[in-house]
Amino acid sequence: MAAVPIAVITGASSGIGAATARQLAAAGYRVVLTARRKDRIEALAAEINEAGHQATAYALDVTDRNAVDEFATAFRTLAVLVNNAGGALGADPVATGDPADWRQMYETNVIGTLNITQALLPALTESGDGTIVILSSTAGLATYEGGGGYVAAKHGEHVLAETLRLEIVGTPVRVIEVAPGMVKTEEFATTRFRGDTEKAAKVYAGVEAPLTADDVADTITWAVTRPSHVNIDLLVVRPRAQASNAKVHRTT
C-alpha cells in the first residue's frame, strides 16, 4: 500500500490556512497543521480526523529558526509545504509607518517562509515529487497607498518564490505561488487594525462578494493536485469586483 502523502500547512489556525488544511485533507493528504495557537490547530485537527481524514497539530512559530529546525527532523520525505503564515499590521503611510510593524511583517512573511522552506526542502526533494506553495498576495505584485510595509514584505515573498524556482529547477520540487486579492476572513483585517472592527469592516464595505478563505483554499488545492509535470508558477485570484489593488467596485 502506498504511503499517504503528507502536507504541512503553516498559519493553519484560521482563515486560508485552516480552509486549505480541510481541503487538502479531503483530497487525500495527511495534513500537519502548524501555528502558534496550539488550541486552535488541535481543535481543527480533531475536526478533520472526525471527518474521516488524517491530521496532526504541531505548535510552531515560523520565525523561530531553532524550533523550525527541530520540527523538520520529523520528516524524511514530504509531499507538500504550504507557506501560509503571514499577515499585515497597520495602514500608515511610509512617512509615519512604525518600523516595528514593518520588521514584524518582514519577519513573518519573508523570514518565516525562508525558515520553513529551507528546513523542509531536503524532505520535499527526497519525496521525488515535492511541491512548495507560497501564498503571497497581489500586494506582492503592485503597490497601494497605506500598504508600504505589507507591500514590501509580500514583494519579498514573491521574489523568494521566483528565485527559488530558478535555483532548484531540475530537482523534483515545484514552486507554486498563489497571490490572492481581496479576501474576507474572520481575522486578517481585524488583526491589521489591532482589533478595530469598524476599520476592518470598511475594507469590505460595499463589495458584494469578496473572496472567501475557501475560494483561495480551492485554488491552492487545485494547483497542488495538478499532474507533477505541471507547475502553476503564479496564479493571481481576485473577486470579480476587484480590478486592481486600488480599483474596487463598491455598491455603496
Side-chain angles (χ1 to χ4, degrees):
M1 181 183 294
V4 176
I6 301 171
V8 170
I9 301 102
T10 69
S13 58
S14 66
I16 294 169
T20 300
R22 291 186 182 99
Q23 292 199 28
L24 285 178
Y29 290 88
R30 178 164 76 83
V31 293
V32 179
L33 319 177
T34 73
R36 290 174 297 176
R37 293 179 292 183
K38 184 179 179 181
D39 58 331
R40 297 286 293 268
I41 55 174
E42 286 182 341
L44 178 57
E47 173 199 318
I48 290 170
N49 287 323
E50 286 167 10
H53 308 306
Q54 299 182 50
T56 305
Y58 189 104
L60 182 67
D61 179 349
V62 294
T63 67
D64 182 339
R65 185 55 187 255
N66 289 334
V68 168
D69 286 342
E70 182 180 349
F71 168 70
T73 62
F75 304 95
R76 187 181 66 81
T77 68
L78 178 66
V80 178
L81 167 62
V82 179
N83 283 293
N84 170 71
L89 288 174
D92 299 314
V94 172
T96 57
D98 186 344
D101 287 347
W102 283 56
R103 187 173 294 109
Q104 185 173 338
M105 285 186 281
Y106 190 85
E107 285 286 336
T108 306
N109 290 281
V110 183
I111 302 302
T113 296
L114 177 66
N115 283 341
I116 196 81
T117 300
Q118 285 183 336
L120 291 177
L121 186 56
L124 287 155
T125 305
E126 181 65 25
S127 75
D129 188 16
T131 299
I132 296 169
V133 178
I134 293 179
L135 191 74
S136 61
S137 167
T138 55
L141 308 174
T143 62
Y144 61 93
E145 293 170 282
Y150 182 61
V151 166
K154 285 300 185 182
H155 270 70
E157 203 171 12
H158 167 65
V159 169
L160 188 160
E162 281 196 336
T163 307
L164 178 62
R165 191 180 301 114
L166 292 171
E167 291 172 345
I168 66 171
V169 68
T171 72
V173 180
R174 300 182 294 182
V175 180
I176 294 170
E177 180 182 358
V178 176
M182 181 181 283
V183 185
K184 186 176 184 180
T185 64
E186 66 267 31
E187 293 187 330
F188 180 82
T190 303
T191 299
R192 183 172 201 166
F193 296 111
R194 295 178 170 82
D196 189 327
T197 55
E198 185 176 342
K199 278 187 178 180
K202 287 180 180 178
V203 172
Y204 312 104
V207 180
E208 191 171 26
L211 296 177
T212 67
D214 283 332
D215 292 329
V216 181
D218 182 58
T219 300
I220 292 169
T221 302
W222 175 82
V224 167
T225 55
R226 293 313 83 207
S228 59
H229 71 287
V230 177
N231 195 92
I232 308 300
D233 282 17
L234 171 63
L235 197 161
V236 176
V237 53
R238 307 182 198 264
R240 186 173 62 187
Q242 184 182 31
S244 74
N245 289 343
K247 181 69 173 180
V248 180
H249 175 69
R250 300 179 190 270
T251 57
T252 57

